[in-house]
Amino acid sequence: AQSVTQLGSHVSVSEGALVLLRCNYSSSVPPYLFWYVQYPNQGLQLLLKYTTGATLVKGINGFEAEFKKSETSFHLTKPSAHMSDAAEYFCAVSAPNFNKFYFGSGTKLNVKP
Amino acid sequence: GAGVSQSPRYKVAKRGQDVALRCDPISGHVSLFWYQQALGQGPEFLTYFQNEAQLDKSGLPSDRFFAERPEGSVSTLKIQRTQQEDSAVYLCASSWLSRGSNEKLFFGSGTQLSVL
């Protein structure tokens, strides 16, 4: 079975500050892990994904995430927040030969000027 | 268009009415998914198509929910005798490959269904 837990439904940071959005997963097989972003009135867009290989994954808009198997985590970070980063972020898990993606409940990021 | 298109954008239904939600995936995409997103929650899997074949419908919450993709492109999600608990945003997503598990999903903007 697979599941995702996102700690913190709302996160607020100041512009220029570090962004850290937490994601922990549960999977009975080696996982594929994803972060999606949803802007108001838009569809979810892929930020980055981990399938195999390097555990530090870089995505669009300066975001990156690190797969830590020992901690079953895939936290999303960005060194310096921008006002345009304000959105809702979803972590998701899948696995080889699975046709389902399991999403977390989302974290809304607010960026203060 | 270049993206996944869903219609209508908003749908208000009286309890007991039937509704049909449409998804136009990106041309050539093999895999198509439907997800349900309740307020304040993440998307939850409903069903999966590979071309016209519905390979997984394990997420459909009841037999009032029915999905089809007869020609392997456009898909329709039908909900019969709508109930208030059906109120949610219904998301459609598509991807290139026949096994979507490690591939990027392209999402539509969703249909927001409100059942009164």
Side-chain angles (χ1 to χ4, degrees):
Chain A
Q2 297 180 312
S3 66
V4 172
T5 301
Q6 291 184 240
L7 292 177
S9 58
H10 291 80
V11 170
S12 186
V13 301
S14 298
E15 191 173 20
L18 171 71
V19 175
L20 171 61
L21 305 183
R22 299 179 184 275
C23 172
N24 288 87
Y25 70 90
S26 172
S27 179
S28 56
V29 296
Y32 293 152
L33 295 159
F34 307 79
W35 276 99
Y36 281 83
V37 60
Q38 187 175 31
Y39 298 101
N41 297 315
Q42 294 187 27
L44 280 78
Q45 302 171 37
L46 182 68
L47 270 180
L48 49 80
K49 66 177 181 179
Y50 167 79
T51 54
T52 59
T55 56
L56 180 62
V57 180
K58 295 186 184 298
I60 61 172
N61 300 337
F63 284 93
E64 62 182 36
E66 186 171 12
F67 168 58
K68 292 187 176 180
K69 183 178 179 180
S70 62
E71 298 178 8
T72 61
S73 69
F74 192 58
H75 301 329
L76 182 70
T77 60
K78 181 174 181 178
S80 177
H82 192 273
M83 296 297 292
S84 61
D85 295 328
E88 189 159 20
Y89 293 80
F90 293 91
C91 182
V93 63
S94 183
N97 298 319
F98 279 31
N99 54 34
K100 295 178 187 177
F101 294 75
Y102 294 88
F103 286 83
S105 55
T107 298
K108 287 186 178 176
L109 176 66
N110 177 47
V111 182
K112 299 174 291 186
Chain B
V4 177
S5 177
Q6 291 188 246
S7 60
R9 183 71 181 90
Y10 302 94
K11 177 68 179 177
V12 178
K14 292 183 179 179
R15 191 173 57 180
Q17 281 185 332
D18 297 349
V19 298
L21 312 180
R22 177 186 169 103
C23 173
D24 279 273
I26 294 173
S27 178
H29 276 195
V30 171
S31 293
L32 186 144
F33 300 80
W34 283 99
Y35 279 83
Q36 180 190 60
Q37 187 177 14
L39 189 64
Q41 300 297 316
E44 292 200 7
F45 173 82
L46 292 177
T47 187
Y48 164 68
F49 289 87
Q50 180 180 320
N51 295 309
E52 70 278 5
Q54 188 176 21
L55 298 187
D56 189 337
K57 55 182 181 180
S58 62
L60 296 177
S62 77
D63 59 7
R64 296 187 295 104
F65 287 70
F66 172 77
E68 61 183 4
R69 193 186 185 197
E71 297 179 357
S73 54
V74 171
S75 177
T76 303
L77 176 67
K78 298 179 180 178
I79 309 173
Q80 297 178 325
R81 305 181 303 282
T82 53
Q83 304 295 315
Q84 285 189 319
E85 62 263 27
D86 300 335
S87 296
V89 176
Y90 290 85
L91 299 172
C92 177
S94 66
S95 71
W96 289 108
L97 298 184
S98 59
R99 284 285 187 187
S101 61
N102 67 340
E103 275 303 309
K104 174 180 179 179
L105 293 182
F106 293 81
F107 281 85
S109 299
T111 293
Q112 185 170 332
L113 174 64
S114 299
V115 182
L116 306 178

